[in-house]
Amino acid sequence: MIGSRQRGSRLGVGESRAGMIGLGVAAWMIGLLWIFPVGWTLLTSFKTEQDASAQTFHNGLTVGRYSDVSHSTTGTLSLSAAFTNSLVVVLVSTLIVMLLALPAAYALAIRPVPKWRDVLFFFISTKFLPIVASIFPIYVYAEKWNLIGTRTILIVLYIAINLPLAIWMTRSFFVEVPRELIEAAEIDGTSLLNQLRSVILPIAAPGIAATALLCVIFAWNEYFYAIQLNFAGASTMPQWVIGNVSTRGNFLAKLSAASIIACLPVVLAGWAAQKRMIRGLSMGAIK
Amino acid sequence: MASVSYVEATRLYPGTPDPAVNELNLDIEDGELLVLVGPSGSGKSTALRMLAGLEPLDAGKILIGGNDVSSIRPRDRDIAMVFQSYALYPNLDVAANMGFALKQQGVPKHERVQRVREAARLLDLEPYLDRKPRNLSGGQRQRVAMGRAIVRHPQVYLMDEPLSNLDAKLRVQTRTELVELQQRLAVTTVYVTHDQVEAMTMGDRVAVLRDGFLQQCDSPSTLYHAPANLFVAGFIGSPAMNMLPASGAGPLRIAGADVGIADDLGGERATIGFRPEAVVVGEGPIAARIRTAEDLGSEVFVHLVIDHEGEERRVVAKVDPPFSGSADDNVAIGIRGSIHLFDTAEARRTTIEP
Amino acid sequence: MTTAADATRSAPRKGRVGDPFGSAWRRRAPLLPALVFAILITQLPFLVSIYYSFTNLKDKTQSLIPEPTKFVGIDNYKAIFSDSFFRQAVWTSVQMTVLSVVLSLLVGTAFALLLDRKFFGQGIVRTLLITPFLLMPVVAALIWKQQMFSSLFGILDKVLNFLGFSSVAFISSHPLASIVTVLVWQWTPFMMLIMLAGLQSQPSDVIEAAGVDGATSWGIFRQLTLPHLRRYLELGALLGSIYIVQAFDAIDVMTGGGPGSTNVPYFVYEESIGGGFRYGSASAYAIVVVVFAIVIATFALRVLSGLLKDEDRA
């Protein structure tokens, strides 16, 4: 008789409850220590500047710093402008990256061109040139075409920096699609677009979502191009955050608040999608 | 070499309402080849994994050689297992695969090499010793999985449907080799399969499982001729036993005809069964119509329909060739063999011999 | 019947057998948009850089109309080989990249092993562990600079003092270590995700078989898991290196350059728009770096790893 405990055992043979609990405790401690710098920053963002600098708690917690950074002073970049810029740039560039990468991955995985390895290597090699080196020619031409301070130039550049990774990852997910499904679609005369839509995408969807998320993360957090190709008053979130570093007075709490605001969207997106990212990665990023 | 006992062994998977294996009691003798058979979901694989230590027990215990191993990890149980998927180590070659367990035990290299070579010779694997699993055919992988087990000298061999991924011909061939091997090695073996033909041809005894419960554990012959209940009767034997509802008091009437059986189990009679070879086609009291005849060369299976208790029922007869009937012929059939009587609780109560 | 078949035959679609260009171009066509885009946006600046590297282009950023620049041949390249600061930057780059990649792989693998077991609240711990990767690199650098390392505000300092040790000026005394710390903190989650994918792609029956065969947990890890993880380690090292070797944000924020923490990208930056405005010679440095990178990567990809080796599809 199983007895009153009508639930099966979750422990394996030879595993002890104490061992499992011990492992859990160790894991939690490690996790909390690891996140400590972020947690501390979060805490600091709710303090007054005095408290922040001195690491004390005298004045209690307040959201004052958040409203400080949200209402910009003259001459500095406003939060809403920076946020909108970032949003547009990131979403448009990621969308275009995926639109370019999906067919390219098809041409490298499903019906491969003969020299697909070389093509893949070429794409990866585009990341070897340090962006600090190409910035000058890019600046020269961007200025010539009146693109300095626009979203367009950033969109174009972010597509370029994310495209290799997007193609690499999407290709490896496409490789996982069973050959027979493709062949059946070919026999039925399905066009490339429809093949993508009805056969490939449903299977590779988690991987594609993971890829898109990575592109969003890299684009949102990109600092160098944003700084170099924008004026002080018209830029993206990274520049807005740096704008809160001041040389006069205490700024630690304000900077903390600004940091939290700037990172929050991508952090939340990453948290929401982490399971999918793991599933997507284990599906075949490793081919 | 050791005996194996399941004592009230139970396993309930978390989140499911019914145990996968429910208070299993089974005693397996030293050196015996016992087959666990049943449809999918019957609990046979779970029972094997419990013996291996890959599934914990929620109640009861398991003994190997008289020792309670219920909370002992697989690696300390001194067992060898052949997995349905073979589970070969992908990064090791065939020789390393087969010698893996010996290496874990610290067996010195020269002895390891020798024992691996011996097993390889037994299984015709010598040309493949340095190949990796991915470069082997299905049949070769299966033999490596076997070799991995026989190279050790454990107390018990466990085999989880080791032949089910082979093609039919190879399966039959390997079956006999396996039985010979087991008899030679004389190690207690617990063998799981869903194929009742395999079970009948291989086992010293066969344990039939259904929904986690043991139905019957006996020699193949006993299972065939004296099934404990309706399920075993219908599961063992191919084509399946013919079964007809036969409730009601008084003499048995099949398709309206009196077949000379008066026993009604005190009113408990519910079903009767008789095997195809018990049916005689061409003479008898029962009216039937032929649907098809399958001529296998050595025997002919005739599929018939009778009108029994107001409904059309199918009956299969096994006859010796040549058979001259064809579809839609009306024939008379009779039963000249054992008829089993099953009661309302599906248990077999008695068998009328011819 | 014949007429219908004839009709379809007489209107050839792209890709029909018999049309010599149909099949090959049908394969290539989907690739072209991405390929054209990449070539335009990345190769053109590259070519322009090559051109600049043969000139003595230098300028103030106010006026971007180049002054008459001379073609100086390979003078810039010759100067590189005698430039000790560049050599130092290369050495710093090597140290920074190798240390960061190796450490984040080690820690990431350890975390992945931890997360592969079940325990209460596993999902939350995983969420905590991946967070640093999601932060802006400048924010991560700022957090470590201000909250952790700073001798004025920093927590680590307070902890050290509390434990009785004297203050340590982390960033000024140990610039490379400080940068590596931030890089490892940020990239460990990335490695962890890749290694988790690797661990979860291991077939469970093989692990069970090893257990039945008498292997201990450590034995299973060493003999089966590690070999299986090799490709994942290689992928993590490759992708991580590609990104970490370009590390810029952390250096700019934490140390602003300086002898211990200037890697090659920062060096080139300082040479060009970061203060030197010597675009010609900066381009030469960059080209040298790219050539090296291609050589190393070609060697690594073709010879060492099996990442691209074992596939050939029709």
Side-chain angles (χ1 to χ4, degrees):
Chain A
M1 256 314 173
I2 283 234
S4 54
R5 191 175 57 102
Q6 288 289 329
R7 282 178 329 187
S9 162
R10 284 181 203 273
L11 296 172
V13 179
E15 289 179 9
S16 73
R17 193 144 202 95
M20 200 163 114
I21 294 182
L23 184 72
V25 167
W28 272 92
M29 275 175 43
I30 292 177
L32 290 173
L33 265 179
W34 186 252
I35 203 68
F36 173 76
V38 178
W40 192 252
T41 301
L42 183 63
L43 185 61
T44 307
S45 70
F46 289 115
K47 290 183 178 176
T48 62
E49 292 294 357
Q50 262 179 311
D51 273 338
S53 315
Q55 307 287 5
T56 54
F57 274 102
H58 295 143
N59 295 333
L61 298 177
T62 160
V63 294
R65 308 286 77 70
Y66 282 93
S67 62
D68 284 348
V69 298
S70 314
H71 305 101
S72 58
T73 55
T74 55
T76 61
L77 189 56
S78 87
L79 172 59
S80 52
F83 194 87
T84 318
N85 285 338
S86 273
L87 200 64
V88 169
V89 167
V90 165
L91 290 180
V92 172
S93 70
T94 302
L95 181 66
I96 300 182
V97 163
M98 298 313 288
L99 285 177
L100 290 176
L102 288 177
Y106 183 94
L108 293 174
I110 311 266
R111 297 175 90 248
V113 297
K115 293 233 177 65
W116 62 270
R117 284 193 186 84
D118 295 330
V119 171
L120 204 53
F121 185 75
F122 165 72
F123 277 114
I124 296 289
S125 72
T126 64
K127 294 198 78 58
F128 293 163
L129 180 67
I131 58 178
V132 294
S134 58
I135 186 64
F136 183 62
I138 288 178
Y139 191 91
V140 166
Y141 284 96
E143 225 229 354
K144 225 185 255 186
W145 296 326
N146 285 326
L147 288 176
I148 299 290
T150 63
R151 293 173 188 162
T152 314
I153 186 67
L154 285 185
I155 291 177
V156 167
L157 290 173
Y158 288 177
I159 296 175
I161 63 178
N162 275 331
L163 195 56
L165 182 72
I167 291 182
W168 176 294
M169 286 183 70
T170 316
R171 185 202 78 95
S172 61
F173 296 129
F174 280 11
V175 159
E176 292 291 306
V177 174
R179 202 103 198 100
E180 302 82 52
L181 291 180
I182 309 287
E183 286 167 357
E186 284 283 327
I187 292 179
D188 288 345
T190 321
S191 71
L192 162 62
L193 190 59
N194 282 329
Q195 276 188 37
L196 269 177
R197 203 166 41 180
S198 41
V199 175
I200 301 172
L201 253 48
I203 296 181
I208 293 176
T211 308
L213 178 64
L214 269 183
C215 293
V216 164
I217 294 175
F218 287 135
W220 183 270
N221 295 342
E222 203 280 334
Y223 172 67
F224 185 75
Y225 279 147
I227 288 275
Q228 304 302 336
L229 295 169
N230 276 299
F231 309 120
S235 185
T236 53
M237 293 299 278
Q239 189 169 16
W240 176 80
V241 172
I242 293 293
N244 282 288
V245 176
S246 102
T247 46
R248 303 165 299 175
N250 293 330
F251 57 87
L252 202 51
K254 257 181 45 188
L255 181 61
S256 301
S259 302
I260 299 287
I261 294 180
C263 293
L264 204 57
V266 164
V267 167
L268 290 178
W271 283 356
Q274 53 175 305
K275 270 209 179 130
R276 193 165 303 172
M277 268 182 62
I278 296 179
R279 214 175 105 213
L281 279 176
S282 61
M283 258 176 61
I286 326 298
K287 280 275 178 102
Chain B
M1 290 185 288
S3 61
V4 172
S5 291
Y6 288 81
V7 181
E8 300 281 320
T10 308
R11 172 63 175 148
L12 172 66
Y13 285 112
T16 62
D18 298 313
V21 173
N22 206 328
E23 294 176 15
L24 179 64
N25 285 294
L26 199 53
D27 287 307
I28 306 170
E29 285 166 27
D30 184 9
E32 182 181 6
L33 172 62
L34 181 109
V35 178
L36 291 171
V37 74
S40 51
S42 55
K44 54 191 191 296
S45 283
T46 306
L48 190 75
R49 287 169 61 86
M50 287 159 75
L51 179 57
L54 299 170
E55 293 286 347
L57 272 75
D58 292 304
K61 55 186 181 181
I62 291 184
L63 311 176
I64 299 182
N67 302 316
D68 186 350
V69 297
S70 311
S71 35
I72 298 185
R73 283 177 298 207
R75 67 180 189 240
D76 299 320
R77 291 195 186 193
D78 195 20
I79 51 168
M81 184 158 169
V82 180
F83 288 77
Q84 184 177 4
S85 61
Y86 313 141
L88 300 182
Y89 307 121
N91 53 305
L92 302 177
D93 62 22
V94 168
N97 256 280
M98 287 173 54
F100 185 82
L102 300 179
K103 188 166 175 201
Q104 308 309 305
Q105 289 166 11
V107 171
K109 184 162 182 187
H110 60 88
E111 191 187 329
R112 249 183 10 233
V113 168
Q114 191 205 349
R115 279 163 75 166
V116 166
R117 203 163 285 161
E118 234 177 79
R121 202 172 24 91
L122 261 175
L123 295 165
D124 279 327
L125 284 173
E126 278 171 306
Y128 309 112
L129 280 176
D130 54 358
R131 283 211 206 162
K132 295 262 172 72
R134 61 171 176 270
N135 297 328
L136 298 172
S137 73
Q140 290 161 349
R141 285 185 208 171
Q142 195 272 339
R143 279 181 278 152
V144 176
M146 290 286 310
R148 200 168 60 174
I150 70 173
V151 98
R152 306 172 50 185
H153 304 143
Q155 296 189 67
V156 189
Y157 284 138
L158 281 65
M159 303 195 184
D160 191 357
E161 307 207 40
L163 305 181
S164 57
N165 292 337
L166 299 176
D167 63 71
K169 209 156 180 212
L170 197 53
R171 202 183 306 166
V172 172
Q173 190 185 329
T174 315
R175 218 163 65 193
T176 21
E177 290 173 4
L178 223 159
V179 175
E180 281 174 9
L181 194 58
Q182 191 271 343
Q183 280 169 355
R184 174 140 46 127
L185 297 171
V187 174
T188 314
T189 304
V190 182
Y191 186 102
V192 164
T193 179
H194 64 273
D195 181 350
Q196 56 96 23
V197 173
E198 215 166 88
M200 296 291 279
T201 55
M202 295 182 73
D204 294 329
R205 279 191 303 156
V206 176
V208 181
L209 288 152
R210 182 196 193 196
D211 292 335
F213 289 99
L214 176 66
Q215 306 293 303
Q216 184 178 3
C217 179
D218 267 315
S219 67
S221 163
T222 313
L223 283 176
Y224 190 85
H225 295 292
N229 58 31
L230 211 58
F231 175 78
V232 176
F235 187 79
I236 301 286
S238 179
M241 182 188 285
N242 295 301
M243 291 185 186
L244 299 173
S247 50
L252 179 63
R253 302 187 81 85
I254 299 180
D258 188 338
V259 290
I261 295 170
D263 191 348
D264 64 0
L265 302 176
E268 295 255 292
R269 186 184 63 203
T271 318
I272 60 151
F274 48 94
R275 297 221 179 254
E277 58 264 27
V279 180
V280 171
V281 180
E283 51 173 314
I286 305 169
R289 181 173 53 84
I290 299 178
R291 287 176 58 230
T292 63
E294 294 171 350
D295 188 346
L296 272 73
S298 56
E299 53 205 359
V300 179
F301 290 115
V302 186
H303 296 260
L304 309 136
V305 242
I306 63 173
D307 187 0
H308 175 74
E309 295 187 2
E311 283 184 40
E312 269 201 357
R313 297 274 170 190
R314 296 186 184 173
V315 172
V316 181
K318 180 173 103 143
V319 299
D320 293 326
F323 181 72
S324 52
S326 45
D328 284 332
D329 285 355
N330 288 315
V331 289
I333 63 172
I335 305 179
R336 211 177 291 164
S338 312
I339 300 185
H340 307 282
L341 274 65
F342 299 90
D343 65 19
T344 48
E346 295 192 357
R348 184 185 63 89
R349 295 280 297 279
T350 184
T351 301
I352 314 292
E353 300 295 342
Chain C
M1 239 169 41
T2 38
T3 43
D6 282 340
T8 45
R9 246 200 303 265
S10 66
R13 294 195 314 239
K14 228 167 64 150
R16 295 290 293 238
V17 177
D19 181 352
F21 291 121
S23 172
W25 282 106
R26 192 158 169 242
R27 285 190 182 227
R28 288 190 194 129
L31 182 58
L32 288 180
L35 199 56
V36 165
F37 185 93
I39 292 178
L40 273 181
I41 308 295
T42 67
Q43 301 309 297
L44 288 187
F46 184 53
L47 290 174
V48 174
S49 287
I50 294 184
Y51 166 67
Y52 285 154
S53 71
F54 292 121
T55 70
N56 67 347
L57 181 64
K58 44 171 115 64
D59 221 320
K60 306 290 180 206
T61 44
Q62 272 73 19
S63 135
L64 277 161
I65 305 161
E67 293 174 0
T69 51
K70 291 189 309 187
F71 188 75
V72 297
I74 58 171
D75 282 357
N76 288 327
Y77 290 95
K78 282 202 261 192
I80 291 180
F81 289 103
S82 51
D83 185 346
S84 66
F85 290 116
F86 181 66
R87 273 201 294 279
Q88 191 169 25
V90 170
W91 177 231
T92 305
S93 260
V94 168
Q95 287 178 81
M96 196 184 287
T97 308
V98 170
L99 279 174
S100 304
V101 170
V102 168
L103 284 175
S104 58
L105 267 178
L106 281 176
V107 180
T109 306
F111 283 178
L113 288 169
L114 183 66
L115 285 181
D116 199 34
R117 325 282 299 275
K118 26 186 204 313
F119 54 86
F120 178 75
Q122 181 196 38
I124 302 186
V125 173
R126 192 182 57 216
T127 308
L128 294 181
L129 290 178
I130 67 171
T131 304
F133 180 67
L134 305 169
L135 302 174
M136 285 180 191
V138 286
V139 165
L142 279 173
I143 290 180
W144 279 86
K145 179 179 181 183
Q146 309 287 353
Q147 303 277 20
M148 305 294 293
F149 286 142
S150 160
S151 25
L152 292 178
F153 321 122
I155 283 290
L156 286 182
D157 220 53
K158 299 254 184 314
V159 168
L160 278 180
N161 288 334
F162 182 73
L163 292 175
F165 298 106
S166 55
S167 295
V168 175
F170 292 98
I171 298 184
S172 38
S173 315
H174 308 282
L176 182 61
S178 306
I179 307 252
V180 168
T181 305
V182 179
L183 290 175
V184 169
W185 190 63
Q186 277 220 284
W187 284 92
T188 295
F190 179 75
M191 304 300 190
M192 181 186 85
L193 286 179
I194 293 181
M195 302 313 287
L196 252 183
L199 286 175
Q200 290 178 0
S201 70
Q202 227 182 348
S204 55
D205 57 355
V206 173
I207 305 291
E208 285 180 345
V212 169
D213 275 349
T216 60
S217 302
W218 172 248
I220 293 178
F221 179 74
R222 193 175 48 89
Q223 298 173 89
L224 295 178
T225 308
L226 268 186
H228 171 83
L229 287 179
R230 203 188 103 180
R231 295 160 108 189
Y232 296 83
L233 286 168
E234 286 172 355
L235 180 78
L238 175 70
L239 287 181
S241 303
I242 290 178
Y243 283 99
I244 292 180
V245 83
Q246 309 258 17
F248 179 88
D249 304 4
I251 301 171
D252 201 29
V253 165
M254 290 180 85
T255 63
S261 61
T262 303
N263 63 357
V264 170
Y266 206 79
F267 181 88
V268 172
Y269 167 72
E270 284 184 326
E271 186 75 0
S272 73
I273 55 181
F277 307 116
R278 291 180 290 277
Y279 303 118
S281 86
S283 300
Y285 283 116
I287 302 300
V288 167
V289 165
V290 171
V291 169
F292 264 114
I294 291 183
V295 166
I296 294 177
T298 310
F299 174 72
L301 276 179
R302 309 275 191 191
V303 177
L304 292 183
S305 94
L307 278 175
L308 295 180
K309 224 173 24 180
D310 40 12
E311 295 178 55
D312 253 310
R313 306 183 121 221

